[in-house]
Amino acid sequence: MIERLETIEKRYLELNDEMMDPENLANVKKTLELTKEQASLRDAYEAYQEYKKILSDLEEAREMVKDPELGEFAKEEISSLEERKVEMDHTLEVLLLPKDPMDGKNVIVEIRGAAGGDEANIFAGNLYRMYTRYAEKQGWKVETLEEYPSEAGGYSLIQFMVKGDNAYSKLKYESGAHRVQRVPDTETQGRVHTSTATVLAMPEADEVDANLDMNDVRVDITRSSGCGGQGVNTTDSAVRLTHIPTGLVVYSQTERSQIKNKDKAIKILQARLYDLKMQEHDAEIGAERRSKIGTGDRSEKIRTYNYPQNRVTDHRIGFTLKQLDRVMEGALDEIIEALITEDQQRKLKGE
């Protein structure tokens, strides 16, 4: 562990020098690359500096134990420092875990109403609002890519992109089936119904990630349909992309501009292709996939939102929070932090 930390420290300091090089300062792209690399090392570098300070202070305190006047004070200091050292050992182990290369990416989220008819679509709308509120709290931006509103409220399907620092690192745990238990507005007997909506969180992918060759894509231009307000159905601006090798079809109509709709459709298609590639890879190493958190398919029930009990339960880690009202307003931090911690613990155990 110390050898790896010393390597990180050396590289971090080298980057300081490289960023001050006039040639690099004149190159904006190179400067951004160096800044990004150093930022990825900063937590480990700073933690290692703190760790070295603890070791140095421990050495001094052990020398002080021999002093008749300061001996008792030194013993107390040693006890405190040893506790901090144990904490820092764990912190450093976590910081040195292999990082998911996708963590720093933006994320495309797709929510669909599933079992439960209108109530499922309404719940899909509730989840969309929950994620947008969470994104606001994180200082992220949300851009709608495609939406199909339901007549009863909510959405039969909504796709949106979340842009911000490490967005995928937190939202990647959301993929799977989300179950709601509550009394629908249309229920006259006061009975609790169970409905589901599915969530798919995909890292934003570029052409390098997805290997998208536009020669493999058929582009069809159609007239927009459905809800959309004034202007819809008056221009041929909707874009449908069909990826011929896989049969994947993506449709975008949220913009009046054909070019903008095509750009959005390409982003969705790239993300879907990359997600497909990751699924194929995970299937090859099935045991590893089953041990992961956040790679579940849509049929995997991951979370229950129980309104009568104001309770939300994440079934993957057995985590329950009786603050559903706050969660639905975007207070997802406690759940996501619990998922991240469990993920780290599994990796530390080599599961």
Side-chain angles (χ1 to χ4, degrees):
M1 184 177 82
I2 297 299
E3 286 179 6
R4 291 177 65 192
L5 289 166
E6 286 175 347
T7 301
I8 288 171
E9 179 183 53
K10 180 183 177 184
R11 179 58 184 154
Y12 187 90
L13 296 174
E14 284 175 352
L15 286 164
N16 277 340
D17 295 334
E18 288 183 33
M19 285 191 291
M20 295 306 293
D21 186 320
E23 190 175 326
N24 289 331
L25 286 170
N27 186 330
V28 176
K29 185 179 178 182
K30 183 66 175 177
T31 300
L32 285 172
E33 287 175 1
L34 294 172
T35 302
K36 189 174 181 180
E37 184 184 351
Q38 191 178 58
S40 71
L41 302 176
R42 183 169 292 115
D43 287 346
Y45 171 79
E46 291 178 350
Y48 184 41
Q49 303 315 299
E50 184 178 344
Y51 187 70
K52 288 197 295 184
K53 179 71 165 58
I54 291 170
L55 294 180
S56 173
D57 290 348
L58 259 173
E59 192 175 334
E60 288 182 16
R62 284 170 182 148
E63 287 295 321
M64 287 169 56
V65 169
K66 304 167 188 175
D67 190 305
E69 294 183 6
L70 300 174
E72 286 304 313
F73 168 77
K75 287 178 184 177
E76 291 179 12
E77 186 70 5
I78 288 169
S79 176
S80 173
L81 287 166
E82 285 180 339
E83 285 181 14
R84 286 177 59 199
K85 181 182 178 297
V86 170
E87 290 172 3
M88 284 303 300
D89 279 331
H90 178 72
T91 298
L92 289 167
E93 281 183 338
V94 170
L95 286 171
L96 291 176
L97 284 172
K99 288 184 169 56
D100 184 340
M102 298 295 109
D103 277 355
K105 287 184 174 284
N106 298 328
V107 56
I108 292 176
V109 181
E110 177 187 289
I111 306 174
R112 290 177 182 267
D118 288 343
E119 174 65 6
N121 293 338
I122 291 168
F123 180 51
N126 298 148
L127 290 176
Y128 171 62
R129 184 176 184 276
M130 177 184 78
Y131 289 128
T132 54
R133 294 299 299 272
Y134 175 67
E136 287 172 12
K137 294 174 189 289
Q138 301 296 313
W140 299 337
K141 292 183 179 179
V142 176
E143 175 189 351
T144 302
L145 299 175
E146 191 59 25
E147 58 180 355
Y148 292 90
S150 167
E151 288 185 9
Y155 301 92
S156 59
L157 166 69
I158 183 160
Q159 294 173 329
F160 56 99
M161 182 182 291
V162 182
K163 299 179 179 180
D165 291 341
N166 297 311
Y168 183 69
S169 72
K170 295 186 176 180
L171 291 177
K172 67 182 178 182
Y173 300 102
E174 297 305 299
S175 290
H178 295 240
R179 181 175 70 172
V180 63
Q181 295 174 327
R182 63 185 176 189
V183 180
D185 291 338
T186 54
E187 170 58 53
T188 57
Q189 304 296 318
R191 292 172 297 186
V192 173
H193 288 223
T194 298
S195 305
T196 58
T198 59
V199 176
L200 178 62
M202 304 172 285
E204 182 187 15
D206 53 32
E207 287 195 40
V208 175
D209 291 328
N211 294 321
L212 178 61
D213 183 348
M214 289 305 291
N215 292 320
D216 292 334
V217 179
R218 187 176 73 238
V219 181
D220 297 306
I221 309 301
T222 64
R223 186 154 291 187
S224 299
S225 61
C227 302
Q230 191 176 1
V232 170
N233 296 320
T234 61
T235 58
D236 292 331
S237 60
V239 176
R240 182 173 62 243
L241 302 182
T242 304
H243 188 248
I244 297 166
T246 61
L248 285 173
V249 178
V250 170
Y251 187 77
S252 180
Q253 64 170 13
T254 56
E255 303 287 345
R256 294 192 183 187
S257 161
Q258 186 184 118
I259 294 172
K260 288 182 179 178
N261 278 329
K262 185 178 178 183
D263 286 344
K264 284 188 173 184
I266 287 173
K267 283 185 181 295
I268 298 170
L269 182 57
Q270 286 173 333
R272 281 194 168 282
L273 286 171
Y274 188 65
D275 183 61
L276 189 63
K277 187 166 76 172
M278 289 197 297
Q279 285 181 36
E280 289 171 354
H281 173 70
D282 287 342
E284 291 173 8
I285 48 174
E288 181 180 333
R289 186 178 189 277
R290 285 191 292 274
S291 74
K292 290 181 181 177
I293 297 174
T295 55
D297 58 33
R298 289 176 195 241
S299 63
E300 181 189 354
K301 182 185 72 178
I302 65 166
R303 197 175 294 153
T304 294
Y305 304 74
N306 185 297
Y307 276 72
Q309 297 177 18
N310 195 38
R311 169 177 58 81
V312 57
T313 298
D314 195 289
H315 303 289
R316 294 164 294 180
I317 58 174
F319 180 83
T320 295
L321 197 61
K322 293 205 169 183
Q323 297 177 358
L324 177 57
D325 51 342
R326 293 183 62 247
V327 168
M328 299 311 293
E329 289 298 319
L332 277 167
D333 292 282
E334 207 168 331
I335 297 172
I336 288 174
E337 286 303 319
L339 287 162
I340 291 172
T341 299
E342 176 66 19
D343 203 17
Q344 290 171 344
Q345 293 302 321
R346 291 186 186 185
K347 286 175 182 173
L348 285 170
K349 292 175 185 175
E351 293 182 3

